[in-house]
């Protein structure tokens, strides 16, 4: 089954790629989740639009990725969240909140889909957050989650 990816899927491709997948995977997972659209000649023309939107968000080159990694290493990222007794958060910290905290701390603009969290952040403390900036470059930074007053 031929499909056009609308987002990056690990081990499959990036947005705008035309890939061949098994029919069940495409029909039952990729299409309903909105990760892909069915391939047609008309839809293939939309690939240019998808790729243009992707390039606006994308880290341009390996050198640019290394610059962004250096910026992330220099920034102190702090996030405040509502917490109950014992340091447990009401809810969890989302990738969008982390990206906003990096931007507020003076760091570079990141794509929330590129964040790699080992587990959900549901308690106060310090966490290691990794960001896949480029296929060859992964950056990490410390996130300090504090209680809101």
């Amino acid at each position: 089954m031929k499909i056009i990816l609308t987002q990056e899927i690990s081990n499959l491709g990036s947005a705008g790629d035309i890939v061949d997948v098994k029919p069940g995977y495409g029909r039952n997972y990729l299409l309903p989740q909105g990760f892909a659209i069915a391939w047609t000649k008309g839809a293939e023309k939309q690939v240019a639009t998808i790729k243009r939107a992707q390039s606006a968000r994308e880290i341009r080159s390996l050198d640019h990725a290394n610059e962004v990694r250096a910026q992330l290493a220099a920034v102190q990222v702090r996030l405040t969240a509502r917490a109950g007794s014992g340091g447990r958060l009401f809810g969890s910290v989302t990738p969008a909140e982390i990206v906003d905290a990096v931007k507020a701390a003076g760091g570079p603009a990141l794509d929330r889909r590129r964040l790699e969290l080992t587990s959900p952040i549901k308690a106060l403390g310090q966490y290691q957050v990794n960001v896949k900036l480029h296929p060859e470059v992964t950056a990490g930074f410390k996130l300090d989650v504090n209680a809101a007053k």
Side-chain angles (χ1 to χ4, degrees), residues 72-148:
L72 280 174
V75 74
Q76 277 285 24
V77 183
R78 289 191 176 87
L79 185 74
T80 57
R82 290 186 43 216
S85 61
R88 188 157 168 84
L89 298 180
F90 295 123
S92 63
V93 177
T94 64
E97 292 172 332
I98 295 171
V99 168
D100 291 340
V102 169
K103 190 75 171 162
L110 300 173
D111 186 3
R112 65 177 170 76
R113 292 177 291 254
R114 302 254 182 201
L115 292 180
E116 297 173 345
L117 298 172
T118 55
S119 62
I121 298 174
K122 295 188 176 205
L124 299 176
Q126 203 170 54
Y127 296 90
Q128 178 68 27
V129 178
N130 293 321
V131 183
K132 188 167 180 136
L133 299 171
H134 189 269
E136 301 170 14
V137 179
T138 301
F141 62 92
K142 296 239 185 268
L143 172 68
D144 193 20
V145 181
N146 299 317

